[in-house]
């Protein structure tokens, strides 16, 4: 434990919990803020990447001579110039910034050009001649499971094109099924989709001598920093990565990318700044988005609907590279247990390589797919048993301060309360059913940061430094505001501790050269982890200021109140001067490391543990047309256990944005392919909800005051997306009497389900079966004993 | 950032001069009014004019005038937003104004013109892609290649007619005035502007400029336009149906049905409306009671042969065409004056 | 090879300042604003007219700068996000976006704010549906549009 429990009651807080404007709002409404592509350095060159036009091919030759000869071209690099492999996960470093042996998807970069302007760089890329020997592309999960005629996509892992397998069992699943009064199996498919940040990725590098600085629209400068040092062969101290103000990430800017590495290399070679901004189409190739996942789930329940055993299988279409894949795979099986008390649980997961843009983490990383499957499966189970679907869930809800069968530590848990509140607000239980109209309910849970770092180390996950001096108050944190409001959260926490306003705190963030580490804006970790680190640093500063004032006034420190810009009776600036005179330079530190023992000790236990879990419940009200299959969502009620809101305005914004993204995924978003080529690499063809497609959202916040979160706060960035998807599917079923077991639920699929029913077939659209997968022998893990399970 | 390839921009002083410039520069030149169709296509290398002949500055193209016959003459340079907001047009030609209001998004309608929408390029998801994507695909006959990717056996391009306003204009009996060099002018029915070929989809000579759209006096025609698409804005039609209805007493006297986005040109399928002629559109009929609307819709949609070159499943698009026909008839009927003697 | 094309003089007013520039006749207004005038507040998300991020006001009307050629804005009055505030005093729409959570990452914000300003100039008391219609072409991936809708309503109220 690095910070005290949330001690103060809401009434004692001055800025935490208020809905103040975000600290960066003024810069954003005036256009003053400079995003990565707005950076313009003297003498800057422009970089374009040449990308593969083959889904899968061996590179036979690359001739860059014509490109090099073009006026205005300053440098051309290929894979030979960047031969070191990298990857976000240490277990699958399978990427090259520029491929030189073979390409694995349409869009795989093979060369980079730096030129005096973008047009010249583009023309030079087109002048590079690459000789390819096409290989037979792998386009589906099923195909990836079969031994290829050509070589597998990667030379590691396997069999066939399998990337990663996992098989875990907690408790005696067979015994649970044997005991069950009812057992049900279902198969589901979740099509892949992408983040579609409004801002296209952009990176600018400036090398001076053998040192290089990169400004990039990245969510985790620390991991980019590590990859750059490795690939460029430079000491960490020679590389500085600055996260530029960020135009949207959603997980899509979490990997180190080719363009980031290429501009650094080109700048080191040319001695000039080099910028690369991706086109929208390139953003689709860069991807790292939601995995397509095929799922099979079997659950045994007793007569009352209590779950006795569950067996969940997943198969992920990973695309061409590893990315976060091993974690993504385990996430499809990890969090089923954080909402439902499952006494015996078996998970078998597989990720395969295919010749498509690599998948990775998108908002909810690996959990929206199984959440969709699980919640819809429970609806069907409830129908089998004639039990109300909400009641069936309630009978299985996890309890606060318990440990799950897969050893995840549950602390604060407002699952029951978010359920009550959304049901009450929506009138779900009193709805009058009528054809063409449906309401659906679902719940979910998400992590407040991953309990373990991506690469093994025992250092803190978040660190902050707080400086007070004649220049004011400055908080240094490695955290990166990607629009979620982390700057506002950190400023609010520091201000709360120091009796100031958030606007009084100057923030220096996301700069590996200036700020102490923060692992990044992923896994909903920043409020909890960087927030705790900031609170610790600020509390220590507060103590110094209070001591200085107490000594000056000759009173006890606990008689010195800190609020409203004053330390005791004197102004903050004056107190700071007293403290500086007394203690010298005023600089305090805060660190956060997740506690030990929040997860298990088996292989694969690294995915799932978190210091706390948020809880969400959704009710969706929609109309569905029984002829066209078109769906109109009328309203969504979303209840969220936030622990405590640090900034209520920002929290509500995250809920609304999560609901929006969940609706987009369930209704229309899809990253799909045809003959190895992306079907929709544009903002017109990749369908995202517009203003006219978005219903009203009613947000209901429940504060459970988590004992370890800063002031009790938990995450909100990812959780609220999750229940929306199954709630829509459930509501469509209520409206039309058909199940669409495949996301997105597009009108053509609904009509096919309706047609099936009209022909007397199963009233359903979805996958028919789950493939045979060579899962390894189960790793059997004894569940926590009763004493351990009750915290 | 995506950019246009180098090209020059000419500013003719008149429509006639624009036609002359077209004639002079031949295939190197293209007309541009709002540019909302052309500019993105140039950025993706789908169109490669070296000379752009601008029309946007020509005041003569920007007038909406009432004709002596009681119809309207709308300059080709009038924006879709202006038509959408035009009260008298809306009262007289609801299908046309509705179609204009459903094109793309507000900012594009502020710039895009009605002439441009009639001439909007046919669309296909093997064609509306970047140069690199099309190159990876091997190109197609509409640009840089020699086969139709969606129908490899097809002798012609199967790109999809995607104008929203064209079917409405055809259903309303509108015509276009085409201006050529040396003051040459001809007027053709809007239906005559199109060919059933995704590549050569306009039936006009290379040096002709669409100068204006003439809408005949509305008479007692009532009209509607139904657009099928995924989102409620921005998207092109996946199917579009314009219906114009006229009643004599309580009975339907004439009915026109025109489809868009179901083939390479708009299709006038008014013959399918024959069963409606002489019938009364009672509430029961409009509710589908005796299957009359379904019969008409099925016949009307026969011409629709969607392929896998647009959004969503092509079978669904065909199904939706039928449904949109029914909806459009119901909507147009709802606009008819209620026959005397009825509530 | 395409023949080289000479630059041409473009005269226009940007945020009330008269500008005379030598530009490529095929450079879009987006390029002119961001690269010639360094007004980088105007964003780009697709450059194909599909996302609304590059919305500016031309004669007070929202248009997409990624689609406009210099000839189309010759002599026009262009307003970008940098020109919306009155000196240090923010426009009511800007204030409302700040106060009601109308922005998160901020990338769609310039286009969204300008489109909202144009709406309120034309229709000072829009309904929620009218706001949705007016902003329909401006995509946002962060907010779910809810905070934006509230902000525009607030700005309308404060403007009355």
């Amino acid at each position: 434990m690095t910070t005290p429990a949330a001690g103060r009651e809401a009434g004692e807080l001055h800025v935490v919990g208020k809905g103040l404007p975000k600290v960066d709002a003024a810069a954003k409404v005036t256009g003053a803020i400079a995003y990565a592509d707005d950076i313009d350095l003297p003498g800057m060159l422009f970089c374009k990447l040449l990308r593969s036009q083959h889904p899968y091919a061996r590179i036979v030759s690359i001739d860059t001579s014509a490109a090099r000869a073009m006026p205005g071209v300053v440098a051309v690099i290929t894979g030979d110039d960047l031969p070191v492999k990298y990857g976000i996960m240490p277990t699958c470093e399978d990427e090259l910034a520029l491929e030189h042996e073979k390409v694995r998807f349409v869009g795989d970069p093979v060369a980079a050009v730096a030129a005096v302007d973008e047009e010249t760089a583009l023309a030079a890329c087109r002048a590079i001649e690459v000789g390819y020997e096409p290989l037979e592309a792998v386009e589906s999960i099923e195909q990836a499971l079969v031994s290829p005629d050509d070589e597998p996509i990667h030379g590691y892992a396997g069999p066939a094109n399998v990337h990663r397998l996992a098989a875990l069992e907690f408790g005696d699943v067979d015994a649970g099924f044997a005991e069950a009064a009812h057992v049900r199996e279902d198969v589901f498919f979740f099509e892949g989709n992408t983040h579609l940040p409004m801002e296209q990725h952009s990176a600018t590098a400036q090398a001076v001598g053998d040192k290089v600085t990169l400004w990039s629209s990245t969510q985790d400068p620390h991991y980019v920093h590590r990859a750059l040092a490795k690939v460029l062969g430079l000491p960490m101290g020679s590389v500085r990565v600055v996260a530029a103000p960020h135009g949207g990430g959603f997980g899509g800017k979490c990997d180190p990318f080719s363009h980031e590495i290429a501009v650094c290399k080109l700048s080191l070679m040319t001695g000039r700044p080099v910028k690369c901004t991706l086109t929208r189409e390139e953003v689709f190739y860069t991807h790292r988005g939601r995995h397509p996942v095929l799922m099979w789930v079997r659950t045994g329940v007793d007569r009352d609907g209590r779950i006795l055993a569950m067996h969940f299988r997943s198969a992920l279409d990973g695309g061409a590279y590893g990315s976060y894949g091993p974690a993504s795979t385990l996430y499809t099986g990890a969090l089923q247990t954080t909402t439902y008390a499952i006494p015996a649980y078996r998970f078998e997961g597989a990720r395969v390589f295919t010749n498509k843009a690599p998948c990775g983490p998108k908002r909810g990383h690996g959990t929206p797919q199984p959440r969709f499957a699980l919640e819809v499966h429970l609806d069907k189970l409830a129908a089998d048993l004639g039990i109300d679907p909400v009641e069936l869930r309630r009978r299985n809800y996890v309890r606060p301060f318990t440990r799950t069968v897969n050893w995840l530590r549950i602390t604060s848990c407002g699952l029951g309360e978010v359920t009550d509140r959304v049901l009450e607000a929506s009138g779900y239980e009193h709805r009058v059913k009528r054809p063409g109209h449906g309401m659906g309910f679902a719940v979910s849970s998400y992590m407040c940061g991953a309990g373990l770092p991506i690469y093994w180390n025992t250092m803190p996950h978040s660190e902050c430094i707080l400086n007070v001096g004649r220049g004011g108050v400055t908080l240094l944190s490695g955290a990166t505001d990607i629009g979620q409001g982390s700057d506002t959260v950190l400023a609010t926490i520091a201000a709360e501790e120091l009796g100031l306003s958030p606007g009084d705190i100057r923030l220096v963030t996301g700069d590996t050269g200036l700020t102490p580490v923060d692992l990044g804006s992923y896994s909903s970790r920043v409020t909890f982890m960087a927030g705790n680190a900031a609170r610790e640093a600020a509390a220590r500063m507060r103590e110094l200021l209070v001591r200085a004032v107490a000594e000056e006034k000759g009173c006890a420190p606990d008689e010195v109140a800190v609020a409203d810009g004053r330390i005791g009776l004197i102004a903050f600036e004056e107190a700071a001067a007293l403290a500086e005179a007394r203690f010298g330079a005023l600089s305090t530190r805060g660190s956060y490391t997740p506690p030990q023992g929040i997860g298990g000790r088996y292989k694969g236990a690294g995915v799932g543990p978190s210091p706390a879990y948020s809880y969400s419940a959704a009710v969706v009200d929609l109309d569905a047309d029984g002829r066209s299959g078109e769906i109109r969502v009328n309203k969504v009620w979303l209840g969220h256990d936030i622990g405590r809101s640090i900034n209520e305005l920002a929290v509500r914004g995250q809920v609304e944005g999560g609901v929006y993204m969940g609706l987009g995924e369930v209704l229309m978003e899809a990253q799909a392919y045809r003959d190895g080529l992306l079907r929709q690499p544009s903002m017109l063809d990749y369908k995202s909800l517009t203003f006219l497609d978005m219903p009203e959202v009613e947000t209901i916040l429940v504060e459970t005051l988590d004992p370890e979160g800063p002031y009790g706060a938990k995450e909100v960035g990812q959780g609220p997306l999750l229940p929306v998807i199954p709630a829509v599917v459930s509501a469509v079923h209520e409206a039309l009497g058909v199940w669409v077991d495949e996301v997105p639920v597009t009108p053509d699929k609904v009509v096919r389900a309706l047609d099936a029913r009209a022909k007397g077939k199963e009233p359903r659209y979805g996958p028919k079966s789950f493939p045979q997968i060579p899962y390894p022998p189960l790793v059997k893990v004894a569940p926590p004993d009763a004493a351990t399970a009750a915290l | 950032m995506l950019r246009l390839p180098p090209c020059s921009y000419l500013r003719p002083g008149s429509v006639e001069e624009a036609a002359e410039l077209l004639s002079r520069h031949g295939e190197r030149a293209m007309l541009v009014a709002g540019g909302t169709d052309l500019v993105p296509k140039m950025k993706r290398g789908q169109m490669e004019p070296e000379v752009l002949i601008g029309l946007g500055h020509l005041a003569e193209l920007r007038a909406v005038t009432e004709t002596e016959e009681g119809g309207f003459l709308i300059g080709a340079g009038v924006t879709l937003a202006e038509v959408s907001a035009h009260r008298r047009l809306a009262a007289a030609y609801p299908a046309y104004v509705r179609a204009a209001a459903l094109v793309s998004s507000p900012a594009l309608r502020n710039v895009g013109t009605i002439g441009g929408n009639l001439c909007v390029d046919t669309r296909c998801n093997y064609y509306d892609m970047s140069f690199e994507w099309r190159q990876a695909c091997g190109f197609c006959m509409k640009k840089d290649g020699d086969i139709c990717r969606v129908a490899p056996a097809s002798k012609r391009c199967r790109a999809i007619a995607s104008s929203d306003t064209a079917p409405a204009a055809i259903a309303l009996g509108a015509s276009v005035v085409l201006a050529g060099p040396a003051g040459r002018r001809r007027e053709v029915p809007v239906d005559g502007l199109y060919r059933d070929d995704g590549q050569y989809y306009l039936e006009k000579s290379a040096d002709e400029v669409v100068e204006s759209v003439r809408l005949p006096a509305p008479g007692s025609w009532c009209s509607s336009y139904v657009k099928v698409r995924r989102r409620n804005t921005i998207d092109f039609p996946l199917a579009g149906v314009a219906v114009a209805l006229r009643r004599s007493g309580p009975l339907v006297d004439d009915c026109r049905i025109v489809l868009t986005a179901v083939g390479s040109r708009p299709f006038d399928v008014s013959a399918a409306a024959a069963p409606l002629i002489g019938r009364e559109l009672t509430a029961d009929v409009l509710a589908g009671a005796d299957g009359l609307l379904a019969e008409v819709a099925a016949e009307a949609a026969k011409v629709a042969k969607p392929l896998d070159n647009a959004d969503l499943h092509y079978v669904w698009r065909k199904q939706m065409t039928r449904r949109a026909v029914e909806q459009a008839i119901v909507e147009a009927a709802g606009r008819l004056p209620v026959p005397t003697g009825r509530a | 090879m395409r023949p080289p094309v000479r630059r041409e003089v473009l005269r226009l007013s940007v945020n009330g300042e008269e500008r005379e520039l030598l530009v490529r006749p095929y450079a879009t207004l987006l390029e002119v604003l961001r690269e010639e005038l360094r007004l980088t507040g105007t964003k780009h998300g697709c450059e194909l007219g599909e996302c609304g991020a590059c919305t500016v006001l031309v004669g007070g009307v929202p248009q997409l700068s990624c689609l406009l050629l210099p000839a189309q804005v010759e002599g026009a009055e262009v307003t970008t996000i940098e020109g919306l505030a009155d000196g240090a005093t923010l426009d009511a729409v800007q204030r409302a976006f700040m106060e009601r959570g109308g922005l998160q990452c901020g990338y769609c914000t310039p286009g969204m704010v300008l489109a909202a300003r144009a709406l309120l100039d034309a229709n000072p008391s829009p309904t929620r549906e009218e706001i949705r219609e007016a902003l329909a072409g401006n995509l946002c991936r962060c907010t779910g549009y809810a905070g934006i809708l509230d902000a525009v309503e607030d700005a309308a109220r404060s403007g009355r």
Side-chain angles (χ1 to χ4, degrees), chain A residues 53 118 126 281 625 674, chain B residues 3 130 132 135 308 323:
Chain A
Q53 296 189 342
E118 259 191 322
R126 288 178 176 168
E281 183 175 349
D625 189 309
R674 179 173 56 192
Chain B
R3 296 164 203 275
S130 69
E132 270 74 17
Q135 190 174 41
D308 186 23
R323 182 192 161 84

Side-chain angles (χ1 to χ4, degrees), chain A residues 163-200:
Chain A
H163 169 210
R164 172 75 192 221
L165 294 167
L168 295 164
E169 176 162 307
F170 309 92
D172 192 339
V173 171
D174 288 336
F177 281 125
E179 201 188 315
H182 178 67
V183 175
R184 182 182 174 91
E185 285 177 23
D186 285 298
V187 188
F188 298 94
F189 181 63
F190 195 120
E191 179 60 285
N193 57 53
T194 200
H195 319 83
L196 200 78
M198 291 304 295
E199 176 202 33
Q200 299 144 322

Side-chain angles (χ1 to χ4, degrees), chain B residues 176-187:
Chain B
V176 287
V177 179
L178 298 169
R184 201 178 70 217
R185 274 189 177 67
R186 65 187 180 107
E187 188 164 335

Side-chain angles (χ1 to χ4, degrees), chain A residues 198 683, chain C residues 44-54 64 137-140:
Chain A
M198 291 304 295
M683 297 192 77
Chain C
H44 59 110
C46 70
E47 301 113 53
L48 295 169
E50 301 170 350
C51 77
C54 69
L64 299 184
N138 293 75
L139 297 179
C140 169

Side-chain angles (χ1 to χ4, degrees), chain A residues 48 53 106 118-119 122 126 277 279 281 285 625 627-630 632 667-668 674-675 677-690 692-693 746-748 751-752 755, chain B residues 1-4 43-44 123 125-126 128-133 135-137 150 228-236 294 297 308-313 316 319-320 322-323 326-327:
Chain A
K48 294 300 271 184
Q53 296 189 342
V106 172
E118 259 191 322
E119 297 95 311
L122 177 63
R126 288 178 176 168
T277 301
T279 64
E281 183 175 349
Y285 296 136
D625 189 309
R627 221 176 129 195
S628 70
E630 290 168 310
R632 178 173 180 88
L667 295 174
M668 52 180 71
R674 179 173 56 192
D675 302 330
L677 282 165
L678 255 179
R679 278 189 79 110
Q680 69 309 299
S682 70
M683 297 192 77
L684 174 63
D685 291 329
Y686 183 91
K687 302 301 178 191
S688 66
L689 299 179
T690 71
L692 290 174
D693 305 300
T746 50
D748 48 348
V751 166
R752 285 168 78 170
D755 286 350
Chain B
M1 193 176 322
L2 299 178
R3 296 164 203 275
L4 282 85
K43 288 184 179 183
R44 298 207 280 207
R123 300 187 60 82
N125 64 19
Y126 285 94
D128 290 300
M129 293 287 180
S130 69
F131 176 81
E132 270 74 17
W133 193 102
Q135 190 174 41
C137 191
V150 68
V228 178
R229 57 178 164 178
R230 200 94 87 92
R231 301 179 291 183
N232 290 314
T233 182
I234 301 177
D235 293 343
F236 284 91
D308 186 23
N309 60 346
D311 190 24
L312 292 174
H313 200 277
W316 183 85
Q319 292 167 332
M320 284 314 101
R322 287 197 290 272
R323 182 192 161 84
E326 293 178 39
Q327 276 181 334

Side-chain angles (χ1 to χ4, degrees), chain A residues 479-657:
Chain A
T480 304
D481 196 319
I482 58 170
Q484 87 279 42
S486 71
D487 280 5
T488 301
V489 165
L490 298 179
T492 302
I493 288 172
E496 182 66 46
E497 291 300 317
L498 298 174
L500 298 172
S501 298
D504 297 330
I505 313 296
R506 178 185 298 109
L507 290 157
V508 177
T509 59
D511 182 332
T512 66
L514 297 180
T515 59
V517 80
D518 178 87
L519 293 182
S521 283
Y522 67 94
S523 84
S524 272
R525 51 178 301 288
V526 179
T527 293
F528 207 97
M529 299 192 181
N532 268 322
R535 189 177 184 194
E536 185 177 69
R540 286 175 173 163
M541 181 63 71
R542 171 192 173 107
E543 195 187 319
L544 290 179
L545 297 170
V546 165
R547 254 174 63 198
V549 169
E551 287 172 21
E552 175 76 13
K553 298 289 178 189
C555 60
D558 59 10
E559 290 169 41
V560 179
V562 176
D564 304 324
R566 308 187 84 79
I567 311 288
L569 295 174
I570 64 176
F572 182 90
E573 291 76 11
E574 208 179 318
L578 285 173
E580 190 179 336
R582 209 163 290 255
F583 307 120
L586 295 174
S587 185
T588 55
R589 296 170 287 116
S591 305
Y592 180 82
T593 309
Q596 296 288 307
I598 56 175
R601 286 166 182 266
Y602 51 90
K603 188 173 186 298
V607 165
S610 176
Y613 299 88
S614 73
Y615 287 90
S616 308
V619 169
V620 168
D621 178 296
L622 56 77
D623 291 308
D625 189 309
R627 221 176 129 195
S628 70
E630 290 168 310
I631 297 163
R632 178 173 180 88
V633 177
N634 302 311
K635 185 164 179 178
V636 178
W637 292 261
L638 197 297
H640 185 71
D641 166 14
I642 181 66
R644 184 196 300 275
S645 298
I646 300 292
N647 178 307
E648 198 186 313
L649 193 63
V651 166
R652 288 181 181 277
Q654 285 292 298
V655 172
E656 290 153 357

Side-chain angles (χ1 to χ4, degrees), chain B residues 39 64 94 105 141 181 216 235 241 259 281 283:
Chain B
V39 170
V64 180
S105 63
M141 66 165 67
D235 293 343
V241 180
L259 312 182
L281 292 179

